[in-house]
């Protein structure tokens, strides 16, 4: 049997979940007689692996299956939907423009202690997206990122605790610190 890393399996499962959820929460209907056959048809995953992925999807309870004589319906479970949302969050990126517009984007939040998990998810994603924290719970980024942060905020369910601002002028000390944190920023005046 072919050896596959956990990371590769995770990517494959995420891909399969995206295919199942592509047309919405109603799932997909496939003309097939076996779950592995349905999965193979839907994703192109070879039969040898389809069986394994069916077992993995079952083990993690990520999808719900139903079968008639010649048709199989595969639908994301609540757990599968959450997994897909989480995968979408880790796919977020802040696009880097050709030149910097000279503005800083600031994200500030004040989360109650009971939101420890949300804080962890939010800050680890901000860090991954290239934000720098200069003061407690105040993060900065040089490029337009509000849509990305908004998606993250919605996912974490913390809208009421987050403020975003675009800043055209900052004090000298903060500006120096940010330029140290983001070396190589150049503006091209039009």
């Amino acid at each position: 049997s072919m050896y596959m890393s956990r990371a590769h399996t995770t990517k494959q499962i995420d891909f399969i979940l995206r295919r199942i959820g592509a047309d919405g929460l109603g799932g997909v209907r496939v003309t097939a007689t076996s779950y592995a056959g349905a999965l193979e048809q839907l994703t192109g995953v070879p039969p040898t692996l389809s069986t394994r992925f069916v077992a993995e999807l079952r083990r993690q309870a990520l999808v719900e299956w139903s079968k008639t004589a010649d048709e199989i319906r595969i639908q994301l479970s609540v757990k599968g939907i959450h997994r897909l949302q989480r995968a979408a969050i880790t796919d977020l990126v802040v696009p880097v423009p050709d030149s910097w517009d000279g503005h800083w984007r600031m994200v500030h939040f004040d989360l109650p202690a009971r939101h420890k998990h949300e804080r962890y998810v939010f800050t680890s994603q901000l860090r991954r997206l290239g934000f720098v924290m200069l003061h407690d719970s105040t993060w900065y980024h040089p490029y337009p990122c509000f849509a990305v942060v908004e998606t993250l905020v919605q996912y974490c369910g913390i809208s009421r605790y987050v403020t975003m601002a675009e800043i055209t002028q900052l004090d000298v000390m903060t500006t120096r610190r940010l330029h140290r944190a983001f070396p190589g920023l150049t503006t091209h005046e039009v």
Side-chain angles (χ1 to χ4, degrees):
S1 108
M2 193 174 120
Y3 169 78
M4 285 175 38
S5 70
R6 175 174 280 153
H8 185 262
T9 301
T10 298
K11 276 190 175 11
Q12 283 286 111
I13 295 287
D14 288 344
F15 167 75
I16 292 167
L17 294 178
R18 273 196 287 276
R19 291 287 297 118
I20 294 168
D23 298 327
L25 301 182
V28 290
R29 293 174 193 284
V30 183
T31 306
T33 52
S34 73
Y35 295 146
L39 207 57
E40 182 189 350
Q41 225 181 92
L42 183 66
T43 63
V45 171
T48 49
L49 291 175
S50 295
T51 309
R52 216 178 108 203
F53 285 125
V54 167
E56 191 58 24
L57 290 166
R58 276 210 157 120
R59 188 185 71 75
Q60 295 186 40
L62 297 171
V63 295
E64 291 160 4
W65 310 82
S66 52
K67 193 173 177 181
T68 60
D70 61 349
E71 189 181 69
I72 290 176
R73 183 161 157 257
I74 316 171
Q75 192 174 0
L76 295 175
S77 66
V78 171
K79 220 176 146 188
I81 292 166
H82 287 306
R83 162 97 177 239
L84 204 52
Q85 288 174 325
R86 201 165 53 249
I89 290 306
T90 58
D91 287 344
L92 289 174
V93 291
V94 174
V96 177
D98 293 334
S99 64
W100 180 49
D101 61 8
H103 299 190
W104 294 102
R105 282 72 188 180
M106 182 196 75
V107 175
H108 175 79
F109 59 92
D110 190 6
L111 288 172
R114 70 178 181 277
H115 292 294
K116 199 166 70 181
H117 175 71
E118 290 86 342
R119 173 192 301 273
Y120 172 77
V121 171
F122 190 59
T123 57
S124 60
Q125 289 303 317
L126 286 178
R127 196 172 288 111
R128 184 188 65 75
L129 289 165
F131 281 79
V132 168
M133 184 179 75
L134 290 191
H135 306 287
D136 194 35
S137 304
T138 304
W139 296 71
Y140 294 87
H141 203 285
Y143 305 128
C145 56
F146 283 8
V148 170
V149 174
E150 188 57 41
T151 302
L152 190 53
V153 165
Q154 292 298 322
Y155 172 77
C156 293
I158 56 174
S159 304
R160 56 191 296 204
Y161 307 111
V162 177
T163 302
M164 293 187 279
E166 185 171 314
I167 301 169
T168 54
Q169 192 174 356
L170 273 168
D171 63 275
V172 175
M173 286 306 287
T174 304
T175 302
R176 275 194 198 129
R177 288 176 69 194
L178 285 171
H179 278 288
R180 273 200 302 276
F182 295 98
L185 282 181
T186 53
T187 54
H188 295 289
E189 300 303 322
V190 179

